[in-house]
Amino acid sequence: MLIAIALFVVGFAISLTARVFVLVPVCAFVVIGFLTAWCILGELDGFRVAVLIGYIFALNTGYVVGAAVGQGASSS
């Protein structure tokens, strides 16, 4: 849960400082990093894949919320 919250905050921060093109390599880094770690530890299973999908959703949701907040601030 703490990792998902941290990824949400990272997505939010990316949306305020950069374009969506920065989010794609960050998502790739998260996927490759977690998959590599879980493969090395021998813990890769269906549950971990579901957790990884949740992590990516948290990162993307943070970006969308931040973009909406940033858009609202710039229009007023």
Side-chain angles (χ1 to χ4, degrees):
M1 226 20 215
L2 294 176
I3 295 172
I5 293 169
L7 287 170
F8 180 88
V9 172
V10 167
F12 189 87
I14 289 172
S15 71
L16 296 178
T17 60
R19 298 272 187 194
V20 72
F21 303 115
V22 176
L23 190 64
V24 174
V26 171
C27 284
F29 179 75
V30 168
V31 169
I32 291 169
F34 278 106
L35 286 178
T36 303
W38 287 333
C39 283
I40 290 172
L41 296 173
E43 296 180 356
L44 185 62
D45 56 3
F47 177 73
R48 299 282 195 268
V49 172
V51 168
L52 182 60
I53 291 169
Y55 288 166
I56 298 302
F57 282 166
L59 181 65
N60 291 331
T61 302
Y63 182 85
V64 170
V65 169
V69 169
Q71 184 70 20
S74 66
S75 66
S76 51

